[in-house]
Amino acid sequence: MKSCSQCHSLIPDDAGFCPECGAKQPPQQVPPAQPVQPQPTPQQATAQQANPQAGGQQGPLAQQQQYVQMAQSFAQTGAQTAQQLSQQFFAHVGSMMRWEKIAYIGLGMIAISVVLPLISISIFSCLTSMVNISQIMTFAVLALCCLAGYYASEEKYNIPLSINVGLLLTFAVIYCKLHFAIADFFDKTKQGAKAASQLGGGPDMAFIGSILQDSANKLVGLGIGVYFLLAGALIAIIACAACRLSRKKAPVNIGTICTEMKDAILEPAEMGGQRIPAFILTILVVGILLFIATNIEVFGVRISSFL
């Protein structure tokens, strides 16, 4: 039974008109028959299990092969990217000037110096590297090296020159003070041994004091990290000045390098859209490093007591 489209009375399914109101009924829509999919035979089911791709499905073996292909594709893409980056890097290095490469060598020496002993104290030398003495000073030196390297790559050579002048001045003063403090310690040791021999120790005490003095001179001194840092800063300063001269196509010699260093310090440095005199940058570097150094202790002795 179906419902009349006009009066909604129940009428037979095949009725063309309603017996109650006489309204013509629309033809009944018969839904299309769904095709019946044949069931696979046992032989077909066995073949599909042996070859899953034939039935439109992917088995574990096919998925594993797909993952292997994806991994190989990613590895190939990564290798191509690494090769392109390495080619660009070596092309950039090859296009550098000789003095620009030397400047980067100097900055590298400064960066290496933070892990080298600053004071040689026999077997305790490894404990006197900048990394072990002060993490803050290590961070400041490495950050300044990165900043100098960035502006050197931008060919603003007066900025790395000013930064390295600040590094050179600061650590030259600190290490000179340490050198004099160590020498003063040796003198006091020798005077103490001499005074002990005069008070009754006799020549034996004087002999022992001289041995201690000679041993102290060999066991205690400035470490290789000092020379790496100072030499690296000096090399970077000279190389930056020489880069400026090369850009100007001017002759590079000791006189022109010294003149160019003076001009670079007095020129304005553009950093982050701001222009400040380069010597102000040097003063800031010296001030920051000295402020950090005054709070450093080496075996319980404050560096500020030597400054």
Side-chain angles (χ1 to χ4, degrees):
M1 302 292 287
K2 65 179 180 179
S3 176
C4 174
S5 61
Q6 186 68 26
C7 64
H8 303 290
S9 299
L10 293 177
I11 59 177
D13 291 335
D14 56 351
F17 295 90
C18 178
E20 298 294 333
C21 64
K24 185 178 180 179
Q25 301 300 313
Q28 185 179 5
Q29 296 181 354
V30 179
Q34 297 290 336
V36 179
Q37 296 182 354
Q39 296 294 329
T41 62
Q43 293 80 3
Q44 292 176 346
T46 304
Q48 287 182 0
Q49 292 178 359
N51 188 8
Q53 294 182 351
Q57 299 178 356
Q58 290 186 351
L61 182 59
Q63 291 180 354
Q64 185 177 3
Q65 292 177 351
Q66 184 178 5
Y67 294 152
V68 171
Q69 292 176 356
M70 292 173 60
Q72 292 176 349
S73 177
F74 290 151
Q76 185 178 5
T77 304
Q80 291 176 354
T81 304
Q83 184 179 5
Q84 292 176 357
L85 291 176
S86 62
Q87 289 176 353
Q88 293 176 0
F89 172 76
F90 287 112
H92 176 67
V93 172
S95 64
M96 288 183 183
M97 297 184 302
R98 178 184 60 181
W99 287 106
E100 191 173 358
K101 296 177 183 178
I102 295 175
Y104 284 113
I105 292 174
L107 294 176
M109 292 177 63
I110 297 173
I112 293 173
S113 69
V114 301
V115 296
L116 298 177
L118 303 179
I119 302 175
S120 176
I121 309 179
S122 187
I123 61 175
F124 299 104
S125 296
C126 60
L127 302 178
T128 64
S129 64
M130 191 180 299
V131 174
N132 294 321
I133 293 176
S134 174
Q135 298 289 333
I136 299 177
M137 181 64 81
T138 302
F139 172 78
V141 171
L142 293 179
L144 290 172
C145 284
C146 293
L147 187 65
Y150 170 76
Y151 282 104
S153 65
E154 296 290 322
E155 298 183 1
K156 298 179 180 179
Y157 298 111
N158 61 335
I159 295 177
L161 189 147
S162 303
I163 292 174
N164 282 283
V165 168
L167 285 168
L168 182 63
L169 292 176
T170 303
F171 286 99
V173 170
I174 292 175
Y175 294 143
C176 284
K177 294 290 186 180
L178 288 176
H179 176 74
F180 292 140
I182 292 173
D184 184 61
F185 171 74
F186 291 156
D187 291 339
K188 289 181 180 179
T189 303
K190 187 175 182 179
Q191 291 174 4
K194 183 178 180 180
S197 64
Q198 291 176 353
L199 290 176
D204 293 337
M205 182 60 69
F207 177 73
I208 293 173
S210 63
I211 292 177
L212 293 175
Q213 173 70 16
D214 293 338
S215 300
N217 286 331
K218 295 178 181 178
L219 295 178
V220 181
L222 296 179
I224 191 173
V226 175
Y227 306 110
F228 254 74
L229 197 152
L230 296 179
L234 183 60
I235 290 172
I237 292 170
I238 295 174
C240 288
C243 286
R244 288 169 55 91
L245 291 171
S246 298
R247 294 295 180 186
K248 298 177 182 178
K249 299 187 182 303
V252 179
N253 51 54
I254 296 177
T256 56
I257 286 176
C258 293
T259 304
E260 193 64 29
M261 287 168 54
K262 181 190 68 173
D263 295 340
I265 289 291
L266 297 177
E267 285 182 3
E270 185 175 353
M271 300 179 62
Q274 303 294 327
R275 294 174 64 87
I276 59 174
F279 69 87
I280 298 296
L281 182 60
T282 300
I283 295 173
L284 289 175
V285 171
V286 172
I288 293 171
L289 295 178
L290 286 179
F291 175 76
I292 297 173
T294 54
N295 297 308
I296 296 176
E297 291 186 359
V298 182
F299 297 107
V301 180
R302 277 185 173 270
I303 299 296
S304 58
S305 62
F306 302 117
L307 300 179

